[in-house]
C-alpha cells in the first residue's frame, strides 16, 4: 500500500463517520462550554459577594450554656 491509498482510506472513513463525529463533538463541546460558563459565573459571584460575617464560638462554652438553659427549663435532651 502506498501513501495515497492510506490517505484516501482514512479520508473515506472520516467522511463516512462525519455525522457521528459531529454529534459527538457537539455533545462534548456543549458540556465543556457549560462547565466553563458555570466556572466563570461562580468566580464572578465569589469575587463580587461580600464576605460572610463569622463569629468565633467556644464550643465547650456554648454547650455548657445550652445544657444549663435546658436544665433550668426542665428538659432532658440527653436521650
Amino acid at each position: 500500500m502506498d501513501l495515497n491509498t492510506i490517505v484516501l482510506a482514512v479520508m473515506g472513513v472520516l467522511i463516512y463517520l462525519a455525522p457521528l463525529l459531529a454529534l459527538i463533538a457537539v455533545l462534548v463541546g456543549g458540556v465543556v462550554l457549560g462547565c466553563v460558563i458555570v466556572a466563570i459565573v461562580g468566580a464572578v459571584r465569589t469575587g463580587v459577594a461580600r464576605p460572610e460575617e463569622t463569629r468565633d464560638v467556644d464550643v465547650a462554652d456554648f454547650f455548657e450554656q445550652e445544657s444549663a438553659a435546658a436544665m433550668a427549663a426542665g428538659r432532658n435532651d440527653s436521650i
Side-chain angles (χ1 to χ4, degrees), residues 29-50:
V31 170
V32 170
L33 180 63
C35 290
V36 168
I37 290 172
V38 167
I40 291 172
V41 168
V44 168
R45 288 186 66 190
T46 301
V48 179
R50 285 181 253 137

Side-chain angles (χ1 to χ4, degrees), residues 8-64:
L8 285 175
V10 169
M11 291 300 292
V13 169
L14 287 178
I15 290 171
Y16 181 73
L17 294 177
L20 180 63
L21 294 176
L23 177 65
I24 291 171
V26 167
L27 292 175
V28 170
V31 170
V32 170
L33 180 63
C35 290
V36 168
I37 290 172
V38 167
I40 291 172
V41 168
V44 168
R45 288 186 66 190
T46 301
V48 179
R50 285 181 253 137
E52 294 182 12
E53 182 179 318
T54 59
R55 296 184 307 156
D56 289 333
V57 177
D58 184 17
V59 176
D61 186 41
F62 172 78
F63 282 110
E64 285 176 8

